[in-house]
Amino acid sequence: LAKTTQPISMDSYEGQEVNITCSHNNIATNDYITWYQQFPSQGPRFIIQGYKTKVTNEVASLFIPADRKSSTLSLPRVSLSDTAVYYCLVGAPNNQGGKLIFGQGTELSVKP
Amino acid sequence: EAGVAQSPRYKIIEKRQSVAFWCNPISGHATLYWYQQILGQGPKLLIQFQNNGVVDDSQLPKDRFSAERLKGVDSTLKIQPAKLEDSAVYLCASSLERVSSYEQYFGPGTRLTVT
């Protein structure tokens, strides 16, 4: 399983774009990159998943360079409600039966 | 669509007592997971069910933890006897059988305090 490294914490202000980068140097060919968001006293929530290049949904964008050794979660125009912990996960669901390996995550604090 | 339901939301017990948590996954989801999340850490998978069969229980402390998923729907996780280090949030999640997806749906969790 590929190990991931992401910043422990980040600060931002309302209305700014936030980019959280995750390093995964040992990513395997079959691995996907998935991001989860967790608010206090709640379970994690799936945000986005990608394999290569760029993926965008109504919540975020995920940028993956050609070598796939890192990825960046981009949150456009954050608000106070985006204050949460963000987890980057790497793995191959088919090979691992959907087993998620969570790291410590990045604690994002959005200030007014 | 209704989400993953868990009960109770909070539980306080003394060490060496037993406790049980209940989870009802999203209707139609074949896969059910139990995670343990200690304060300040990411969730750790304890056990994974596919329908009513166990797929992965490699990180379940089997001397004190047990889980079952009778009839392939709801599930119960039990701890007997509890230790102080079992204080954590116990999260249940479920997912469809879907190729190439890590999209799991989590419940609100049960916060266990062992004193």
Side-chain angles (χ1 to χ4, degrees):
Chain A
L1 297 175
K3 178 180 167 59
T4 61
T5 303
Q6 52 183 124
I8 296 295
S9 64
M10 291 182 69
D11 291 331
S12 182
Y13 291 93
E14 280 192 294
Q16 288 187 332
E17 178 185 72
V18 171
N19 296 310
I20 306 175
T21 297
C22 178
S23 298
H24 28 80
N25 291 320
N26 296 322
I27 190 168
T29 304
N30 296 332
D31 285 347
Y32 281 73
I33 300 154
T34 309
W35 286 81
Y36 273 79
Q37 175 192 55
Q38 187 174 26
F39 297 114
S41 302
Q42 294 186 26
R45 183 174 74 104
F46 173 91
I47 301 176
I48 198 165
Q49 181 183 63
Y51 184 79
K52 62 181 180 180
T53 62
K54 177 183 174 182
V55 180
T56 298
N57 61 22
E58 64 276 7
V59 177
S61 295
L62 178 59
F63 298 93
I64 306 168
D67 66 4
R68 303 199 329 122
K69 293 184 184 299
S70 67
S71 59
T72 299
L73 175 73
S74 181
L75 305 173
R77 297 181 299 281
V78 295
S79 63
L80 297 176
S81 62
D82 292 316
T83 294
V85 178
Y86 293 82
Y87 294 98
C88 166
L89 300 97
V90 171
N94 297 343
N95 295 341
Q96 298 160 212
K99 182 173 181 176
L100 294 175
I101 309 294
F102 286 86
Q104 271 200 299
T106 297
E107 188 169 3
L108 173 65
S109 177
V110 180
K111 299 180 171 69
Chain B
E1 135 184 296
V4 175
Q6 290 188 247
S7 66
R9 290 296 313 276
Y10 305 92
K11 190 74 177 178
I12 301 173
I13 61 172
E14 295 182 351
K15 59 184 178 183
R16 292 187 288 274
Q17 286 187 324
S18 62
V19 64
F21 312 126
W22 175 82
C23 171
N24 191 27
I26 293 173
S27 177
H29 281 196
T31 309
L32 185 147
Y33 311 80
W34 282 103
Y35 291 84
Q36 178 193 59
Q37 185 171 26
I38 293 172
L39 188 65
Q41 300 180 16
K44 182 184 82 171
L45 179 69
L46 292 176
I47 189 167
Q48 176 185 346
F49 292 95
Q50 184 79 16
N51 296 308
N52 59 351
V54 176
V55 173
D56 184 345
D57 64 356
S58 57
Q59 298 191 95
L60 186 74
K62 298 179 185 65
D63 58 333
R64 297 185 301 105
F65 286 64
S66 65
E68 59 183 12
R69 190 184 184 197
L70 300 175
K71 300 179 183 178
V73 183
D74 56 351
S75 175
T76 303
L77 176 70
K78 297 179 181 177
I79 307 175
Q80 182 180 11
K83 294 184 175 181
L84 296 177
E85 58 261 35
D86 298 331
S87 293
V89 175
Y90 291 85
L91 295 160
C92 178
S94 69
S95 67
L96 288 166
E97 287 186 74
R98 184 185 299 174
V99 173
S100 300
S101 175
Y102 267 140
E103 189 167 358
Q104 296 183 12
Y105 296 82
F106 284 79
T110 296
R111 182 177 298 277
L112 174 67
T113 302
V114 182
T115 63

